[in-house]
Amino acid sequence: MGTRALFLFPFILRFRTKKDKRTLSIQPDRLSTQIGMLGGDVPWAKMDRLYTTDEYVFLIRKNMNGFAIPRRAFTDDPQRNEFIRLSQQYIQAAKSNP
């Protein structure tokens, strides 16, 4: 990706993600998400990377869809940091075990 694309990447992801309130939970083998009555699971093997800013955690799928998780979704910074750590761990484990 060029420098311009990398700069725009977080903004593109932010606008492509759903804006309705959702719940998101993580397990070692998958992410689970629910919006109202709709729910689904995404295996970590379909996730490409995690990108963080001061305000958001972006979980980016291989198909360029993703989840933008605002800081306010977490009770405190230690909870956010643990979410980031576990998500990175799960993504790496999925990449190591295709």
Side-chain angles (χ1 to χ4, degrees):
M1 265 192 231
T3 304
R4 186 178 208 178
L6 286 175
F7 176 76
L8 294 175
F9 195 64
F11 300 105
I12 293 167
L13 287 176
R14 184 173 179 189
F15 291 111
R16 287 198 51 170
T17 56
K18 292 180 176 61
K19 293 176 176 63
D20 296 332
K21 186 174 181 175
R22 83 166 61 225
T23 58
L24 180 74
S25 60
I26 59 173
Q27 299 86 36
D29 61 334
R30 70 187 178 283
L31 274 133
S32 298
T33 183
Q34 186 162 356
I35 301 175
M37 298 298 290
L38 300 174
D41 295 326
V42 179
W44 288 108
K46 291 189 176 185
M47 301 304 293
D48 186 43
R49 73 183 75 198
L50 180 139
Y51 179 79
T52 61
T53 67
D54 286 341
E55 290 302 316
Y56 286 91
V57 175
F58 295 98
L59 286 169
I60 305 155
R61 293 177 63 168
K62 290 179 180 176
N63 67 2
M64 297 305 291
N65 285 332
F67 302 95
I69 307 157
R71 183 176 286 278
R72 69 180 181 276
F74 302 97
T75 306
D76 53 24
D77 283 344
Q79 184 187 51
R80 181 178 189 260
N81 293 338
E82 181 68 359
F83 179 87
I84 292 167
R85 185 188 72 75
L86 287 172
S87 295
Q88 288 172 326
Q89 177 183 322
Y90 299 155
I91 289 169
Q92 286 307 313
K95 287 180 179 181
S96 298
N97 301 314

